[in-house]
Structure formats: structure tokens, C-alpha cells
Amino acid sequence: FFFSFHAQGMRRALGNAAVSVLRAADPPSKARLVQDAWRALPELKLLPFDPNVRFERPEMPARPATPKLVSPKEMPSHKSAGVSLPVYLVHSLAHIEINALDMYCDTVLQGFSHESSLPDEFFTDFFGVAVDESRHMSWLMQRLEELEAPYGTIPGHRALWDHALNTRDDLLARVGIVPLVQEARGLDAGPKLVEKLRSCNDHVSASIVQQIVEEEVNHVSTGLRWFHYFCNEKNLSPVEHFQMLVNRHLPGGLPRPYNHAARLKAGMTPEWYDRGAEE
């Protein structure tokens, strides 16, 4: 997984790093790879970049031997898994974050196959989000160690990668579904998770989750900005196209309740997600 950043263009370096993250099974290795690449970014020589370059994208990212991956229906409750509620919640979030890290690295690679050459900011924006996810993952995994229940103690569900597979060949859909649905849903659920952890007297975990939720407002904002960009490319109405994607990928609609304040802070007004607001 080692590669030189010297004599490479910025995009090529980020593409190499993204491939290495997806091929690394060990979560700490994933975090180190993405963070090392990000730290090296200011020193890169910005050489001319060949727009025809392509990177091999693994269909599934490498994963550690544990946790066992199961369907959502097979996921045990915290009681049947024999762990405390804080351990169960923190483990679930760590599993989400490792998938998010891989998904954003895959999104960076997806940008190389776009029909038109994308601005450099696309690659740095989404790689920067991957860096955030790697830090979040590391915080949560460290907390699991402190709780004496390392990552892999309980199963993780495998459905999280489904949205990556379903949007693998459609960058507009990827940018709509991952930041604007999955991340925005995290904004909705975050405050309740914080309260649950506090009610269990786990204030350390609660503080970590609170910090993650605050930082992920920017992820939704980044997704919104690029969703507008791609819709403008195709002469599409952003709100109407987003709602079409929701109908296609989430037939049951977006679950309530919504964290209107956090979504608004990210620039996502109710017309995007709350059909009742239109009536």
C-alpha cells in the first residue's frame, strides 16, 4: 500500500490513495493511507494530468475477518449480542464510518470515469470528506477499545454497501444518495443517539458522536454543492431529480423525524426532503 507522491499530479495521487484504501482490509491501515495522502497534498507537484487515466475500482472493498457481515434482519439486539447499549451503538456507528470512508474513496475514483473532465475541487472535496470519515472511524474504534469491546465484537450488517453498488455507474445518483440521504439521515438520528448515550452515563461516547454529527453537516453541504453542479450539467431541476432518486432507491421514502435545523445549516431546505412542507 505504499506509493510515492513525488512527480505525480494531485488527481493521480488521490486516485492511487483511494484504490489503496479500498484494497486495505485493516481499518487502521485505511485511516493511515487516507490521512497520509491528505497531509502530502500541499507538497504535490501539480503536473499536467491525463484526463484519460482510469483506476481499477474494486466492486467490494476489502474488510477485516471480523465483524461477521449479516443481513439487517439477522442483526442481533444488544441484549442478545451480550453487550451494553453504548457498546452496541458505538460499534454500529464505527461500522457505518468504515463503509462511509470506503464509499467516498470509491466516489473519488468514480469521478475519473465521468463523461466530462471534472474540476480539481471535486476530487479534493470528496477525498477531504473521506479524511473526515477516517477520523470519525478512528475515534469510535478507539472508544470501543476503551469499552473493552473492539470492533468485530458483534456482527455488522452488509446492506450499507448496497447504495454504493446501486449508484456505481451513476455519479449524480451517488452524490444524491450518499451525502443527501445517508449523511442527512445521520444528522436526523445523531441527537437521539447522543441522548441515549448520555442516559447510559456514557458521556465520553456522547461527546464523540456529537462532534461527528457537527462535522457531517459539511458533508451534506458538499454533496448539495456537487449535486447542483451535476444537475446543471444535465439541465435538471435539482429538487425534482433528488426526489426522483429517492423514489427509485428508497421506495418507502425518507424516514422521519427530520433535524430541520441541521439540514438547513447544510443548505438543505424542507422542499428537498419533506413532502408535507409542499402541501
Side-chain angles (χ1 to χ4, degrees), residues 240-253 275:
E240 289 179 7
H241 193 69
F242 175 70
Q243 291 173 349
M244 183 278 292
L245 289 173
V246 169
N247 290 337
R248 177 190 298 168
H249 293 277
L250 292 94
R275 296 296 178 88

Side-chain angles (χ1 to χ4, degrees), residues 14 17-18 21-22 30-35 37-38 97-108 122-138 183 216 218-219 222:
L14 295 183
V21 170
L22 290 169
K30 289 179 182 286
R32 187 188 72 250
L33 286 162
V34 76
Q35 291 168 15
W38 192 247
E97 295 294 344
I98 189 173
N99 277 274
L101 166 56
D102 284 332
M103 193 133 19
Y104 280 115
C105 285
D106 186 67
T107 302
V108 169
F122 172 86
F123 300 94
T124 55
D125 279 359
F126 283 105
F127 199 88
V129 173
V131 173
D132 287 348
E133 304 291 12
S134 75
R135 284 188 298 102
H136 300 166
M137 179 191 73
S138 298
E183 295 263 24
E216 291 191 341
N218 184 57
H219 300 178
T222 298

